[in-house]
Amino acid sequence: MSVSPILLDLKDVAEATFSADEFPFAFIASFDAPKATITKLRSGSFNKAPRPGDVLWKGKIYIRICAPGDTVGQVAKIMVDN
């Protein structure tokens, strides 16, 4: 997948109504992840995050939804926890 479709997909994700439950999967799907992978992450069989609500696709990405302005604090917690 080239950069242009990814950027268009990310633009759609950014402009959509935010849902903490759906954002991680929409974001990952923007990078052309297989639908089966998204399904497995959503069900928990691929999601290796130790904290409920987080999404960890091992070796790929870790997503944690946090309050505005708390990004640095949450990144620090992820680094300590893992």
Side-chain angles (χ1 to χ4, degrees):
M1 179 175 227
S2 68
V3 174
S4 294
I6 292 171
L7 292 175
L8 291 173
D9 286 350
L10 287 172
K11 181 178 181 287
D12 291 343
V13 170
E15 291 175 347
T17 301
F18 181 77
S19 165
D21 294 333
E22 292 301 316
F23 174 80
F25 308 108
F27 183 81
I28 293 168
S30 295
F31 294 93
D32 208 24
K35 289 182 182 180
T37 298
I38 302 294
T39 300
K40 290 175 184 176
L41 284 168
R42 189 182 300 275
S43 73
S45 63
F46 263 27
N47 186 359
K48 302 302 179 188
R51 180 177 154 172
D54 290 3
V55 176
L56 171 58
W57 183 8
K58 194 165 176 90
K60 303 283 186 187
I61 191 167
Y62 195 122
I63 299 174
R64 175 177 287 171
I65 305 300
C66 58
D70 193 29
T71 306
V72 172
Q74 292 301 316
V75 169
K77 287 178 185 175
I78 291 169
M79 302 278 293
V80 169
D81 291 345
N82 294 304

